[in-house]
Amino acid sequence: MSEFISSAAVVSTNTDDSATRPGITGASILLDHVTKRFPGQARPAVDGLTMEIPAGKIVMLVGPSGCGKTTTLKMINRLIEPTEGRIVVDGDDVTDMNGDTLRRGIGYVIQAGGLFPHMTVARNIGIVPKMLGWDTARIATRVDELLELVSLDPALYRDRYPKELSGGQQQRVGVARALAADPPVLLMDEPFGAVDPITRLRLQDELLNIQEELQKTIVCVTHDFDEAVKLGDWIAIFNEGAQLEQYDTPERILGDPANEFVENFIGSGAGLKQLTLTRVADVALSDAVVGNPGEQATDVLARVVEAGHGHAVIVDERRRPIQWLSVRQLGRLETIGDVPDPKLPVVGKHATLNDALDTMLVSSAGAALVTGRRDMFKGVIDVQTVMDAITRSQTAAVLESDQAPVGLNTGLFQAQTAAAGADPSEAVENGADAQAVQ
Amino acid sequence: MFDFVGDQYEQILFSSWQHFSLVVQCLILATLLAVVLAALVYRSSALTGIANSVSAIGLTIPSFAFIGLLIAPLGFGVVPAVIVVAFFATLPILRNAVVGLSGIAPSIVESARGIGMSRFRTLLQVELPMAWPIILTGIRVSAQMVMGVAAIAAYSLGPGLGGFIFSGLSRLGGANSLESVLTGVIGVVVLALILDLLLVGLGRLTTPRGIRV
């Protein structure tokens, strides 16, 4: 990023924390009093928006259709040029630099991936590195690396064309393409809008996994509030003209909506939605008695009785759960079989409590098995654990985070600063004044 | 008939080659011209409308009249023949190129721009390759059409099989006149078939599997 921004005028306004915090490869973004007026429209699509996007976080832009959220997103990489205001990426003013150069340094994912149908998967992914002048060998290595990252087998998918992929696979390649040149910022415009609900959930989980590894700054537009709650570290709720109604953590938006508009937007079931905020990995799991195929059922039964449990989990040689046997089932068996039970209630450790609860309700045991990396068995989650987690998150939501990023619209901003009696240190206006004096 | 072909064997082959070469060269010229024109107009609906009208109206001009009109300022020879053949070849290609370019989903263009491709690079690497199968269909239509036009262009004493047709027609009833006309006509048809096969082959070679129907 920094290598191409060096040519642009450097205006360091915000303290850049991306360099100091280890692990984060993302860059902070600042929209500074950004306005967009489209010709022939009376009201601006985006009206004096100031918004800080912290490095290494996922920020979700949500709001009703036509509220200016997509326009806001596209102004970050200047696919739409702002009428007024400045865009600052990683402390560098990018408002006047070459748009194509800027966009090569920012990942961009659209609905259905936006893949080029006449290019293979490998060429699609390699297109930005190629524009940046990488050599062929380096591009090929990078392509395979990225396909691995988005869980597609390079040998199988490298030479396929987009039409030979499913919708979810196309979307994955779209994400891989956006990440190809390792950009610090990833912009996503309704990325999972065109895939079926089950694939969408999987893609969302994968995005979270990727983000855990890469720590990019991700700005994502969606109209699906549940998606925003699931993915976002911060959620910005917009009203018409990109009026920022609330910019806060999902916990606080659900627990303490700023106004009626936000309440209506959240819709009913805010309590249930809070379940989607906590992940299985964040709660304490119960232990379970573990058995292996081939063991004598009586041995396992003895261990279950000794531990005072009702069930034993049977895992295969790679510790993946294959059966979950009750005391009664164990009593009827002689040796433990190795046939996997297809109806096993299993959730991943990144699944939300909502998913876990859903799995539990349909399982006969009233609990679910939790698996971690490579589907290895980690523990058991039950309804009581979920209840405890809800209580805790409700108390936590009331506390305001002191790290909250700034998000304002101009009118509000001026009113606040005037009330505080402070001099509104607006870079844009100061610049204009300075020019007027000269 | 066979005697005529036997006697004129070398002349027929030479004229066929000339005819073929004229058509192919004019097609290449026309393709370049049409693609450049289409690239200039396809993003404006007004200009696209004009381009489509021009290609529709242009095709109604009788080629015989057109070549006659060109002989006055340019004289006899190859130049008016090339102009007429290239002109008629351009029209269907232009139409298809405009249709092909404007038929590309806006989301594809947006994603190209979004990952940092310039306007020109988007056109060159994304839009034109995607529109290529449609442009190629236009080229095939043109090829069939201008095979006939090229025969008429021989009126300006340009190269090709048209010479057999005109010389036969001018002395109809005379010795070998019908054979001469038939040789020209059949030659044109055979050449058209050969060129079409070649263009189909070109399509196979140049259309990536991802956009083949």
Side-chain angles (χ1 to χ4, degrees):
Chain A
M1 192 79 190
S2 55
E3 76 241 26
F4 67 75
I5 286 173
S6 57
S7 59
V10 176
V11 184
S12 49
T13 49
N14 57 338
T15 47
D16 167 26
D17 54 2
S18 65
T20 51
R21 222 177 295 162
I24 295 178
T25 58
S28 63
I29 303 166
L30 176 69
L31 302 177
D32 189 5
H33 298 85
V34 171
T35 296
K36 177 66 194 180
R37 284 186 199 89
F38 287 109
Q41 281 179 11
R43 297 191 52 193
V46 175
D47 194 2
L49 177 71
T50 295
M51 195 176 166
E52 200 177 81
I53 292 162
K57 298 290 178 195
I58 302 183
V59 172
M60 306 295 291
L61 311 182
V62 292
S65 310
C67 69
K69 56 187 191 293
T70 302
T71 310
T72 304
L73 181 88
K74 287 184 184 170
M75 280 195 289
I76 296 176
N77 68 359
R78 293 191 24 237
L79 266 181
I80 294 177
E81 296 283 353
T83 319
E84 284 165 26
R86 298 180 312 134
I87 313 285
V88 180
V89 177
D90 209 10
D92 300 330
D93 190 333
V94 298
T95 323
D96 298 313
M97 74 179 289
N98 179 291
D100 292 324
T101 320
L102 171 70
R103 285 188 281 274
R104 275 173 214 173
I106 295 180
Y108 188 59
V109 186
I110 63 170
Q111 200 172 70
L115 301 180
F116 304 137
H118 60 295
M119 295 183 186
T120 60
V121 165
R123 275 192 68 204
N124 263 293
I125 297 177
I127 199 154
V128 179
K130 203 174 162 195
M131 281 193 282
L132 294 173
W134 293 19
D135 61 55
T136 331
R138 188 174 164 208
I139 294 175
T141 326
R142 181 70 181 149
V143 165
D144 287 4
E145 204 176 289
L146 284 160
L147 282 172
E148 297 270 9
L149 182 74
V150 297
S151 316
L152 292 173
D153 179 4
L156 210 56
Y157 291 100
R158 199 189 291 130
D159 297 321
R160 289 210 188 171
Y161 282 91
K163 74 168 181 187
E164 297 160 336
L165 304 177
S166 71
Q169 289 168 338
Q170 289 186 11
Q171 194 62 62
R172 286 192 185 134
V173 176
V175 172
R177 182 174 70 179
L179 289 169
D182 204 21
V185 174
L186 198 58
L187 305 181
M188 310 181 99
D189 188 2
E190 305 231 359
F192 309 130
V195 291
D196 61 274
I198 297 168
T199 313
R200 188 180 311 149
L201 289 180
R202 289 194 50 194
L203 289 173
Q204 288 168 348
D205 287 338
E206 272 177 35
L207 182 69
L208 288 171
N209 285 338
I210 291 172
Q211 171 66 357
E212 194 178 24
E213 198 172 317
L214 302 180
Q215 308 238 12
K216 303 284 179 196
T217 305
I218 299 179
V219 186
C220 179
V221 163
T222 180
H223 61 263
D224 178 0
F225 186 72
D226 296 338
E227 182 169 89
V229 169
K230 180 171 181 186
L231 297 178
D233 293 311
W234 299 95
I235 298 178
I237 299 184
F238 287 108
N239 202 343
E240 244 172 80
Q243 290 294 319
L244 204 47
E245 297 287 347
Q246 190 168 6
Y247 184 25
D248 221 324
T249 58
E251 288 83 359
R252 279 186 48 80
I253 285 179
L254 284 172
D256 185 17
N259 53 35
E260 208 183 333
F261 178 83
V262 177
E263 267 174 53
N264 288 337
F265 195 77
I266 295 169
S268 58
L272 273 177
K273 279 172 190 165
Q274 281 182 328
L275 279 179
T276 61
L277 293 173
T278 314
R279 297 189 183 282
V280 172
D282 302 334
V283 299
L285 303 175
S286 328
D287 288 332
V289 175
V290 174
N292 296 102
E295 267 188 277
Q296 289 296 319
T298 46
D299 295 350
V300 180
L301 184 60
R303 293 209 299 271
V304 171
V305 173
E306 191 190 344
H309 289 184
H311 292 79
V313 179
I314 310 303
V315 297
D316 66 5
E317 70 279 5
R318 288 166 67 183
R319 273 193 74 78
R320 292 176 299 195
I322 50 171
Q323 291 174 34
W324 199 15
L325 303 174
S326 64
V327 173
R328 189 191 289 187
Q329 283 170 306
L330 282 167
R332 271 186 266 140
L333 284 173
E334 204 156 291
T335 52
I336 308 286
D338 59 355
V339 185
D341 176 4
K343 285 188 284 189
L344 209 60
V346 174
V347 291
K349 66 169 178 163
H350 286 297
T352 63
L353 289 189
N354 195 31
D355 300 338
L357 190 63
D358 190 49
T359 313
M360 276 177 223
L361 291 177
V362 294
S363 93
S364 52
L369 303 178
V370 179
T371 55
R373 280 173 61 87
R374 297 177 196 281
D375 294 333
M376 285 202 298
F377 176 65
K378 286 188 74 86
V380 176
I381 185 168
D382 58 22
V383 177
Q384 191 53 45
T385 322
V386 175
M387 290 306 299
D388 293 347
I390 295 174
T391 323
R392 246 182 299 125
S393 83
Q394 272 170 344
T395 29
V398 186
L399 306 165
E400 191 167 357
S401 167
D402 54 350
Q403 295 176 334
V406 178
L408 299 159
N409 289 89
T410 308
L412 189 64
F413 183 62
Q414 281 169 342
Q416 277 190 345
T417 45
D423 176 37
S425 55
E426 278 186 50
V428 178
E429 283 191 4
N430 284 348
D433 290 348
Q435 279 180 344
V437 169
Q438 284 166 0
Chain B
M1 181 75 196
F2 290 109
D3 293 345
F4 177 82
V5 173
D7 292 346
Q8 305 268 331
Y9 182 68
E10 280 193 9
Q11 181 60 34
I12 293 171
L13 267 190
F14 178 73
S15 291
S16 295
W17 172 246
Q18 290 261 295
H19 197 98
F20 191 79
S21 158
L22 171 72
V23 167
V24 168
Q25 288 184 49
C26 287
L27 270 180
I28 293 171
L29 183 69
T31 306
L32 290 176
L33 212 65
V35 167
V36 169
L37 281 175
L40 290 176
V41 306
Y42 80 101
R43 302 220 297 148
S44 139
S45 58
L47 289 176
T48 301
I50 294 175
N52 283 339
S53 310
V54 166
S55 52
I57 294 169
L59 286 172
T60 65
I61 299 175
S63 49
F64 192 66
F66 193 20
I67 188 118
L69 287 172
L70 282 180
I71 288 170
L74 298 171
F76 288 93
V78 181
V79 178
V82 168
I83 291 177
V84 168
V85 174
F87 172 79
F88 282 101
T90 306
L91 301 177
I93 306 177
L94 174 62
R95 191 175 196 117
N96 276 34
V98 169
V99 169
L101 284 175
S102 45
I104 292 167
S107 63
I108 298 282
V109 178
E110 191 202 296
S111 85
R113 301 283 288 141
I115 59 173
M117 295 175 104
S118 63
R119 256 284 14 127
F120 186 64
R121 193 192 277 265
T122 306
L123 179 72
L124 224 57
Q125 294 193 346
V126 177
E127 293 173 283
L128 281 178
M130 282 180 69
W132 175 243
I134 301 175
I135 296 174
L136 195 68
T137 311
I139 296 176
R140 280 178 65 191
V141 171
S142 273
Q144 303 304 298
M145 194 180 72
V146 299
M147 272 295 174
V149 173
I152 294 189
Y155 181 72
S156 74
L157 304 183
L161 289 167
F164 286 97
I165 300 174
F166 280 115
S167 76
L169 287 176
S170 61
R171 48 193 179 81
L172 210 56
N176 279 336
S177 63
L178 187 64
E179 282 83 347
S180 178
V181 174
L182 282 178
T183 304
V185 171
I186 294 169
V188 166
V189 171
V190 170
L191 285 185
L193 287 176
I194 293 173
L195 183 56
D196 199 45
L197 275 180
L198 289 177
L199 286 173
V200 170
L202 181 72
R204 281 283 162 80
L205 287 179
T206 54
T207 311
R209 202 170 76 238
I211 50 173
R212 219 173 277 162
V213 256

